[in-house]
Amino acid sequence: MPPATPAATMVIFRNNPEGGPPLILMVERVKSMAFAGGMVVFPGGKVDDHDRAYAGIIDHGLDLHEAAARLAVIRETIEEAGLALALDGVTDAADCAEARAALHDGASLKEICDDNGWTPQLDQLVPWARWRPPSLETRVFDTRFYLIDAGDAHLPAVVDNTENRMLFWDSAAGVLERVVRKEVKAIFPTMRNLERLAQFDNFADTAVHAATHPVQLMLTYVEERDGVPHICIPEGHGYPVTAEAMTTATRG
């Protein structure tokens, strides 16, 4: 397989104040973005060299690549959504405007944490999935997905006006309904993960499900079914839908 760019994304849960399934934060990327432009995704992005260096000097008990991905998704969530999560020392996850500005100006997560007295809490991130698309894609990302529970916290996420144009909270089923109504668009991996998330009514059950399906590298592939090429994923990883015709599937 050709090389893939390491990346990570965070599925942020918070309790719905009106009751019902938990709400999940979605980010709508600006149309000019080279990857998934105009699509709704979970906040996240590429793992960079600073993330890898930081992972090499903190105590975490994880594989170096795993730790770097978790640090990357903490950093990217501050940058993209203005939320500082999985960080000890943060009293208000939404009170990170200065840290966000510093990251946009080129500061590393380590510098941000040192300046603010924050300590990454990587164990708060629950491994959910790891996806890699087929080699036919123009841009190939090896993306790790993590869950995190924000409980009853009020999290007024704010767009960054560079990579995203809209942020919103909705249940996984609600986001899928928006896609059906053509209010938003989502790429194949986002759709499959929303369908998987929509099976559960709370974070605890979702986390139990994640624990019973240990993360393995999910290699998507193309297979012809009834004369129609489909994008597919392997069975047995907890996904209720494992294939979609390439004529309807939206790709990054």
Side-chain angles (χ1 to χ4, degrees):
M1 294 185 296
T5 301
T9 190
M10 187 186 294
V11 183
I12 307 168
F13 286 68
R14 71 179 178 90
N15 295 332
N16 188 338
E18 299 178 1
L23 303 177
I24 293 171
L25 180 65
M26 302 301 298
V27 174
E28 184 177 71
R29 293 166 63 82
V30 296
K31 291 183 178 180
S32 60
M33 295 296 292
F35 178 77
M39 303 293 146
V40 293
V41 297
F42 309 109
K46 300 176 186 177
V47 180
D48 67 21
D49 290 339
H50 293 298
D51 301 321
R52 285 183 276 270
Y54 197 12
I57 62 173
I58 61 174
D59 183 18
H60 47 68
L62 299 169
D63 169 85
L64 187 65
H65 298 293
E66 175 71 20
R70 297 191 193 198
L71 290 169
V73 84
I74 292 171
R75 172 181 54 77
E76 286 283 351
T77 302
I78 297 174
E79 291 184 36
E80 289 196 344
L83 297 176
L85 299 167
L87 290 165
D88 185 43
V90 174
T91 55
D92 181 351
D95 185 18
C96 61
E98 291 184 5
R100 186 184 202 184
L103 287 170
H104 284 160
D105 287 341
S108 68
L109 180 62
K110 179 184 184 302
E111 292 170 330
I112 296 300
C113 288
D114 289 348
D115 290 344
N116 290 277
W118 298 344
T119 303
Q121 299 294 302
L122 302 187
D123 59 346
Q124 291 184 14
L125 295 165
V126 177
W128 173 252
R130 183 180 173 190
W131 280 61
R132 191 190 192 285
S135 57
L136 59 88
E137 300 292 354
T138 304
R139 290 175 174 80
V140 180
F141 292 95
D142 179 351
T143 305
R144 301 175 194 240
F145 292 70
Y146 300 98
L147 312 178
I148 191 166
D149 184 18
D152 293 318
H154 177 59
L155 300 176
V158 180
V159 296
D160 66 4
N161 289 317
T162 56
E163 294 187 4
N164 58 69
R165 62 174 295 273
M166 178 177 70
L167 305 177
F168 65 90
W169 293 91
D170 203 343
S171 66
V175 180
L176 291 169
E177 290 170 2
R178 293 188 192 217
V179 174
V180 171
R181 295 195 299 265
K182 298 184 178 181
E183 296 174 5
V184 297
K185 296 179 180 180
I187 57 177
F188 180 85
T190 306
M191 290 294 292
R192 304 294 79 85
N193 279 288
L194 285 168
E195 290 158 354
R196 185 181 173 195
L197 292 163
Q199 299 175 107
F200 309 101
D201 292 328
N202 54 65
F203 179 83
D205 289 347
T206 312
V208 168
H209 169 80
T212 60
H213 293 80
V215 172
Q216 301 179 49
L217 181 59
M218 184 84 68
L219 295 172
T220 54
Y221 61 97
V222 176
E223 180 178 273
E224 190 169 296
R225 300 184 179 185
D226 297 324
V228 178
H230 281 65
I231 301 179
C232 310
I233 56 175
E235 301 281 350
H237 295 273
Y239 291 89
V241 178
T242 58
E244 183 177 356
M246 290 186 69
T247 52
T248 62
T250 301
R251 291 153 53 199

